Amino acid sequence: MTTRNNKAVANAVVISAMLFAASPVSAGTVSGKLTSADGDAIAGAIIRLTDVQAGISESVYSDARGEYVLETDLQGELRLRFRAHYFADHEEQIVLPDASASLGKDVRMTALDADREVSESLAASYHFNELPFDTGEDEPFTRDKFQLECLSCHQLGNPFTRTVRPAESWQQTVQRMHAYMGAMDITEKDRRRAQIFAEGFDGKPTEMRPEFPFDDALAHTKVYEYQLPSSGVPHDAYVHSENGLVYTVDQFADGMYVTNLEKGETEFVPHPEQGMPLGGIFTVLGVPPAMNKVNVRHGPHSLAEGHDGKLYVTNSYSASIGVFNPETNAWEQKIPLPGNAPYPHTIRVDRKGILWFSVVGTEQIGRLDPKSQEVTLIDLPEPRPVAITPAVLTYGVAVSTLDGSIWYSRLWGNRIGRIDPDTLEVTEIESPVFGPRRLRFAEDGILWQTGYGHGEIARIDTKTMDMKVYEMPEFAPDARPGPYSLNIAPKTGDVWVNETMTDHIYRFDPEQERFIAYPAPLRGTYTRDVTFTEEGWACMTNNPIPVQALEEFTGVLMCLDPNYRR
């Protein structure tokens, strides 16, 4: 059987599972057609239904004829919103009295005509492009270096971050950002960066007019959103292999969200203090408050499921690995890291049950044996910064499905490396994409990684070291996406890519070598990592920093079902 036929069978299995296992026996329905004032069909619009009290939303996209069908278990008073590029949002309250109710709703949408209206509707990327970047390749403030460095934690260009401010005010922000990296003194580069912000974010509407092509895959997709109440930075999410619950660590709320997708219920389990003061290890070390998040003790960041079913968590503020037990729904005693390893970052598990994690700042890879709780820290080669700030940020970690070797990326160092899991020998090479962020292995042994600076992903055959780079879709000239992380769907082999600047989620089909771009329901979308349900949903958190920069001001667990039955 050919690879393409294998994939077709896998897709059929996923669809069948969705039809018989996940689809409701009886569901309410909202359906209709969207047209412009001239009667033209509007394809790819987002139709979003929300139970405001429950904090749950369901969305579908209109097809090439402008038609949509949204089947839902949501009942009672609901908010219905229609959103399409270059059209004004249409919103109204509706009532679905029971699970079998149906409602027809055709909408004629009003085109945006004022420059400011159009500008305000566009994602952060197109406003970020208004900054007066350097154009010389060797100059410090080129667009790709700016993207690599200043967009690493949050968007620049959304309504929250493009506020009109004088250079002196921006300089205070720049100084605070640099303090997080240990740079306390203002330099001439800092003043230049602040001036660029002041000149570019001047309050004038952007003249960029991106074009968003319609893909028929949108018509077969449904998006589910579950609000995470009182969230700070809900970072990585993970679907547990045994119970199917989604566990989301929140870095600034200091705990774990547990979401039952079937019931639409979420609870929060705070991380116990366990001897950590506010500010965590940084307070213990006497780090100035400007570099600290004083309301954080542990800062859970990334998580992986151990062979014992427990979740092992990088606590980025307490220099430890947190342990969460799904059976008891409680945190166990954390595992402290030895020596100088203040900021553990991304964590993954290998076939033997050993946990591997990156350490930002001290540029190490950690190894944890969960049975003995022995931790080994592996020093990496001398950093070679390529961004504006003299740091490299050892970032992503991946375990090879071929030989069990450990691979890592250095975001601001433009290097990727391999560690032999037995000898701990380290080998580094130049990254094929600028700004390697997170990376993952597919089941066939191919390594995939994101290139944050240029908006690319790379395919690496680690047996032959053959590499191929794919440019992500560019909806407007030079407005490059910011791919943060990726993961490979186990049943289809598709590569799902998180993205931070264009309010989209991306799926890459390796066989057809094509991207599918899914518009996100909320403006200000910033997603971190992808995890998959048994049915093939791609789930991830949606959270910029601060969370108030996201439309509706609350962090969200978002799941895309790419095999939605129409």
Side-chain angles (χ1 to χ4, degrees):
M1 183 178 290
T2 65
T3 303
R4 188 173 299 278
N5 287 338
N6 280 331
K7 185 168 183 178
V9 171
N11 283 332
V13 171
V14 172
I15 293 172
S16 296
M18 287 302 301
L19 289 177
F20 294 106
S23 293
V25 175
S26 178
T29 303
V30 182
S31 60
K33 183 173 183 177
L34 305 184
T35 57
S36 67
D38 296 329
D40 297 327
I42 300 177
I46 303 174
I47 298 89
R48 184 173 187 255
L49 190 64
T50 302
D51 183 332
V52 176
Q53 295 302 316
I56 299 175
S57 297
E58 299 179 4
S59 301
V60 295
Y61 302 90
S62 59
D63 63 20
R65 299 180 299 275
E67 298 174 354
Y68 69 94
V69 178
L70 198 168
E71 293 183 343
T72 181
D73 280 336
L74 301 180
Q75 300 177 36
E77 294 186 6
L78 306 170
R79 184 171 63 198
L80 182 62
R81 192 194 69 199
F82 301 86
R83 169 170 290 171
H85 296 298
Y86 299 115
F87 288 89
D89 288 358
H90 177 88
E91 187 173 299
E92 57 184 274
Q93 296 295 118
I94 65 168
V95 176
L96 291 179
D98 54 53
S100 60
S102 61
L103 176 68
K105 183 65 63 173
D106 295 341
V107 175
R108 181 158 292 190
M109 302 189 73
T110 302
L112 300 173
D113 54 7
D115 288 343
R116 185 163 295 279
E117 288 181 329
V118 173
S119 179
E120 293 297 318
S121 74
L122 296 177
S125 179
Y126 312 108
H127 299 275
F128 177 66
N129 258 40
E130 297 297 321
L131 296 181
F133 302 112
D134 290 342
T135 56
E137 184 177 344
D138 295 330
E139 293 182 283
F141 295 111
T142 56
R143 189 194 190 283
D144 56 355
K145 292 175 185 174
F146 238 108
Q147 174 152 317
L148 187 62
E149 188 167 304
C150 289
L151 310 184
S152 286
C153 297
H154 47 72
Q155 289 185 343
L156 271 177
N158 61 35
F160 192 92
T161 55
R162 66 171 185 264
T163 306
V164 178
R165 299 161 59 186
E168 293 77 15
S169 177
W170 276 111
Q171 187 168 300
Q172 296 175 14
T173 300
V174 170
Q175 185 175 10
R176 187 173 71 254
M177 295 297 106
H178 281 189
Y180 296 146
M181 300 305 301
M184 304 302 294
D185 297 327
I186 281 289
T187 67
E188 190 56 41
K189 280 188 176 181
D190 299 334
R191 297 185 182 91
R192 169 71 179 128
R193 194 196 305 253
Q195 189 62 40
I196 289 173
F197 288 138
E199 292 177 11
F201 294 147
D202 58 4
K204 297 177 182 178
T206 178
E207 296 181 357
M208 297 196 79
R209 294 297 181 264
E211 297 180 0
F212 304 97
F214 170 75
D215 193 301
D216 188 58
L218 296 180
H220 307 285
T221 302
K222 187 173 181 179
V223 183
Y224 299 84
E225 297 168 276
Y226 308 87
Q227 285 192 349
L228 304 175
S230 303
S231 55
V233 179
H235 213 278
D236 291 4
Y238 178 77
V239 178
H240 198 276
S241 65
E242 294 296 326
N243 60 30
L245 300 178
V246 185
Y247 294 84
T248 303
V249 284
D250 193 307
Q251 192 175 16
F252 288 0
D254 239 8
M256 180 82 74
Y257 285 95
V258 184
T259 302
N260 186 317
L261 298 179
E262 291 184 3
K263 296 181 179 180
E265 297 174 352
T266 296
E267 66 171 316
F268 180 71
V269 185
H271 197 309
E273 293 184 12
Q274 296 182 348
M276 271 293 138
L278 291 174
I281 194 69
F282 299 102
T283 295
V284 173
L285 296 173
V287 173
M291 294 176 61
N292 228 326
K293 295 293 179 189
V294 294
N295 61 330
V296 176
R297 299 177 191 271
H298 300 282
H301 185 280
S302 176
L303 71 169
E305 180 183 344
H307 285 192
D308 55 7
K310 295 179 182 180
L311 298 172
Y312 291 84
V313 178
T314 49
N315 282 336
S316 63
Y317 268 75
S318 61
S320 67
I321 302 300
V323 183
F324 188 88
N325 190 334
E327 290 190 1
T328 61
N329 202 43
W331 293 89
E332 298 183 351
Q333 184 61 40
K334 69 182 186 299
I335 303 170
L337 301 183
N340 182 24
Y343 201 108
H345 194 275
T346 300
I347 188 167
R348 303 289 183 243
V349 63
D350 69 14
R351 291 176 178 175
K352 297 179 181 179
I354 301 297
L355 282 302
W356 300 83
F357 56 92
S358 56
V359 183
V360 170
T362 53
E363 309 309 332
Q364 298 166 309
I365 295 295
R367 180 190 185 276
L368 165 65
D369 184 333
K371 292 181 179 180
S372 65
Q373 296 197 355
E374 179 183 358
V375 178
T376 303
L377 296 175
I378 304 159
D379 294 327
L380 301 182
E382 188 70 22
R384 298 191 312 149
V386 299
I388 307 166
T389 300
V392 297
L393 300 191
T394 298
Y395 205 93
V397 177
V399 180
S400 172
T401 51
L402 286 177
D403 60 9
S405 58
I406 310 305
W407 291 70
Y408 63 86
S409 59
R410 306 183 86 172
L411 177 62
W412 293 357
N414 213 47
R415 307 277 284 180
I416 59 173
R418 178 188 184 275
I419 299 176
D420 185 297
D422 298 319
T423 66
L424 304 187
E425 180 183 0
V426 180
T427 306
E428 272 194 7
I429 62 172
E430 196 75 12
S431 171
V433 287
F434 185 63
R437 202 149 192 181
R438 279 177 162 172
L439 62 174
R440 300 264 192 172
F441 277 89
E443 286 300 318
D444 61 4
I446 297 299
L447 176 62
W448 294 88
Q449 71 170 84
T450 57
Y452 195 71
H454 290 166
E456 300 166 328
I457 65 172
R459 177 192 187 277
I460 305 173
D461 185 333
T462 57
K463 289 188 298 184
T464 64
M465 293 311 294
D466 289 338
M467 304 180 187
K468 188 169 185 178
V469 174
Y470 299 92
E471 292 188 352
M472 295 182 66
E474 185 178 78
F475 304 127
D478 299 322
R480 302 302 302 146
Y484 186 109
S485 183
L486 52 74
N487 203 353
I488 296 87
K491 294 183 178 179
T492 65
D494 288 343
V495 182
W496 287 81
V497 185
N498 302 96
E499 201 276 334
T500 64
M501 287 293 288
T502 67
D503 292 349
H504 280 73
I505 299 96
Y506 296 81
R507 176 162 64 99
F508 180 73
D509 184 330
E511 294 177 9
Q512 299 182 18
E513 297 187 315
R514 78 181 187 98
F515 285 93
I516 300 165
Y518 299 89
L522 295 178
R523 294 192 176 108
T525 287
Y526 198 111
T527 62
R528 306 277 174 173
D529 208 4
V530 185
T531 182
F532 300 99
T533 68
E534 181 65 26
E535 297 83 10
W537 294 8
C539 297
M540 63 208 77
T541 59
N542 188 359
N543 73 93
I545 297 177
V547 71
Q548 292 84 354
L550 180 66
E551 190 178 7
E552 297 186 358
F553 315 119
T554 303
V556 169
L557 173 67
M558 177 170 56
C559 296
L560 284 80
D561 172 12
N563 297 298
Y564 173 60
R565 175 170 58 91
R566 291 294 300 265

